[in-house]
Amino acid sequence: MGRKLPGLNTSSMSDISFLLLAFFLLVSNINTDQGIARRLPPPLPPNQDKPPEVKERNIFVVKINSKDRLIFNGEVGDIRDLKDRAKEFLGNPENKPDLPEKIQMDIPLLGMMDISKGIISLQNDRGTSYDMYVAVQNELTAAINEMRNELAQDKFGKKYSDLNDPQRDAIDEAIPIAISEAEPTKIGEKK
C-alpha cells in the first residue's frame, strides 16, 4: 500500500494576494486630471435676470465652422495666429481703442495693475471636429499661460509654475481665464 502525499496548504495564498493588490492600489498613481480646466462664472444675483451687457470692443469672437475654418472677429484666421491674436487682445499693450478696456485694481503682492475686461467668445459649429476644438482650446490656454508666465517673471523672477500659492493667486487675479463658450450652432461659411 502506498503512502499518501500531504497536500499543499494554500489557505493563506488568498490573503497574500489581497494584501499585494491593496498595496499596489495604494502606492500607484491614478491620473484623473483630464479634460479642459475652466472655471464657471458665478451665478447671477437673485435680483438680476440677465448678465450685464459687455461692450463690443471687449469681446474677441472666435468661431469654428463645420469645415474647421477659424473666423476671428469676422475675418478668416489661421490656428497658428490664434495664440498671438488672443495675447494681443487680452493684453492690449498699447491701450488701443478697438481692444478691451482696462480697469485699475490693487492686487495683493502686485500692487496697482491694469486688468483687461476682455472676453474671448468661442463659438463652434455642431460639425466642428473634436481635434480642431481641442487645438483651439490649447491655443487659447497657451496665450493665457504665456501671459501669466511673463507677468510672473516680471514681478517675481520665476515661472508661473514655480510660484507659491499666494503669488499664483495674485497672477490669476491679474490675468483671469476669460473664455466664454456658446452653445454649438450652425456657423455660416465666410467667403
Side-chain angles (χ1 to χ4, degrees), residues 23-57:
F23 172 77
F24 285 113
L25 285 174
L26 288 173
V27 299
S28 63
N29 286 346
I30 300 173
N31 189 3
T32 57
D33 291 339
Q34 294 183 353
I36 299 170
R38 291 287 180 264
R39 182 178 296 158
L40 294 174
L44 292 174
N47 60 351
Q48 191 175 3
D49 293 337
K50 60 181 185 172
E53 290 295 315
V54 178
K55 292 182 181 176
E56 190 173 322
R57 76 178 264 193

Side-chain angles (χ1 to χ4, degrees), residues 38-127:
R38 291 287 180 264
R39 182 178 296 158
L40 294 174
L44 292 174
N47 60 351
Q48 191 175 3
D49 293 337
K50 60 181 185 172
E53 290 295 315
V54 178
K55 292 182 181 176
E56 190 173 322
R57 76 178 264 193
N58 293 337
I59 300 174
F60 180 61
V61 180
V62 177
K63 294 182 180 183
I64 315 168
N65 70 14
S66 62
K67 294 184 169 85
D68 289 347
R69 292 201 180 114
L70 285 176
I71 302 165
F72 310 146
N73 281 348
E75 304 169 7
V76 175
D78 190 306
I79 187 85
R80 294 172 293 209
D81 301 329
L82 181 56
K83 180 177 64 169
D84 292 333
R85 292 278 302 269
K87 280 179 66 174
E88 179 188 5
F89 173 80
L90 291 173
N92 190 5
E94 297 170 15
N95 217 6
K96 295 180 180 176
D98 58 330
L99 293 178
E101 300 170 286
K102 294 181 179 183
I103 56 171
Q104 285 258 317
M105 285 181 60
D106 188 15
I107 299 175
L109 301 178
L110 298 178
M112 291 303 286
M113 297 283 302
D114 287 332
I115 309 301
S116 174
K117 292 176 83 174
I119 298 171
I120 297 174
S121 173
L122 178 58
Q123 302 169 13
N124 58 297
D125 189 279
R126 292 186 191 282

